[in-house]
Amino acid sequence: MQVHQGTRLAELTTLAVGGPVDRLVEVHDADELVAAVRDADAAGRPLLVLGGGSNVVAPDAGWPGDVVAVRSRGVVRTGDAVQVQAGEPWDDLVAHTVAQELAGMEALSGIPGSTGATPVQNVGAYGQEVAQTITAVQVLDRRDGSVRTLTPVECGFGYRDSALKQHPGVFVVLTVTFGLQSSPLSMPVGYAELARRLGVEVGSGRRWPTSGPPSSSCAGARAWCWTPPTPTPAAPGRSSPTRWCRPRWPWRAAPAGRPATT
């Protein structure tokens, strides 16, 4: 666990807006996350738990308390289930499951943010949503400081909704467990445009890529769509000199010098 002063929320959010925070606490595993939240609650300090910072419009006034930045990482596979730390970048997780030929979340590639945020919003796209695959969500219940595991029923999933969202500030997600399917094919593709881009019929699955790097921008399937390479210059500030990808959809284009978002 690392504690910093002098940090601005603009440094922690993808929109790069937001003023100073009293204390930035970086945590690197579930135990540190629990300890940081309990410490803030015991001291009565205002608390903001921040993952990828991709769905936050932060105030210029900043935050008068603790900002806990969740940097926990790790994916543990048991059979066809994966238990994922809350801070694991979501798109990295999707790419990992595709590489392991585990079907169930491949259409959710390209969504920004961290894994811990996905059950809160019941993230979904192109006919898939995380409620279809989540089997357990481990949380810290701030009402009594206990760590508990929520079942899918207890999560109360709805369309872009959940019990976690309906009770803001009560639960802090520690890990999420997904039940996937080991298969040579993806789940059936339900959207016509996505099926066309992937070269399959609607209702059919697609074989996983067997060669070449994954595409970085194939709509709805960035991690599992690969086409013959077309080199494109890296965006300013990006470490990779070239990127093998299909052209972006028009509404996903980014202004010059800024990364694209979904």
Side-chain angles (χ1 to χ4, degrees):
M1 185 185 304
Q2 297 173 306
V3 180
H4 309 275
Q5 271 85 33
T7 303
R8 299 180 64 84
L9 283 166
E11 302 171 46
L12 306 171
T13 61
T14 58
L15 291 178
V17 297
V21 301
D22 283 358
R23 297 171 79 240
L24 171 64
V25 184
E26 290 188 295
V27 299
H28 300 91
D29 58 38
D31 289 341
E32 289 188 354
L33 176 52
V34 169
V37 173
R38 286 176 175 168
D39 179 64
D41 286 345
R45 295 190 297 269
L47 176 67
L48 174 64
V49 178
L50 197 62
S54 58
N55 197 30
V56 178
V57 180
D60 290 339
W63 184 259
D66 288 8
V67 173
V68 174
V70 183
R71 309 293 191 224
S72 55
R73 299 288 189 274
V75 180
V76 176
R77 178 177 177 179
T78 304
D80 289 346
V82 291
Q83 185 184 57
V84 188
Q85 296 294 314
E88 187 72 29
W90 175 254
D91 206 28
D92 291 354
L93 172 63
V94 176
H96 175 76
T97 62
V98 168
Q100 296 291 312
E101 297 190 353
L102 291 172
M105 60 174 64
E106 57 278 355
L108 305 181
S109 179
I111 295 174
S114 57
T115 299
T118 61
V120 179
Q121 180 77 2
N122 186 18
V123 164
Y126 300 102
Q128 289 182 358
E129 60 183 14
V130 295
Q132 296 168 338
T133 54
I134 287 177
T135 60
V137 180
Q138 186 186 48
V139 299
L140 171 65
D141 188 334
R142 294 178 63 194
R143 293 171 295 190
D144 58 12
S146 64
V147 174
R148 51 187 294 214
T149 300
L150 303 180
T151 66
V153 172
E154 290 174 311
C155 287
F157 291 121
Y159 179 75
R160 304 300 173 266
D161 198 11
S162 72
L164 290 80
K165 184 177 180 179
Q166 290 298 316
H167 298 88
V170 172
F171 301 108
V172 177
V173 176
L174 306 177
T175 67
V176 186
T177 301
F178 300 89
L180 305 174
Q181 296 183 30
S182 181
S183 171
L185 298 176
S186 72
M187 298 298 287
V189 179
Y191 275 62
E193 176 62 15
L194 181 57
R196 184 184 69 81
R197 297 283 287 241
L198 294 173
V200 299
E201 297 293 328
V202 174
S204 299
R206 184 186 192 275
R207 288 194 173 276
W208 307 116
T210 57
S211 63
S215 167
S216 65
S217 60
C218 182
R222 291 173 21 173
W224 56 308
C225 172
W226 184 79
T227 54
T230 301
T232 59
R238 283 316 221 343
S239 59
S240 175
T242 58
R243 184 178 293 266
W244 308 108
C245 61
R246 292 186 179 190
R248 292 187 184 278
W249 285 16
W251 57 86
R252 287 177 180 254
R258 295 294 301 273
T261 59
T262 55

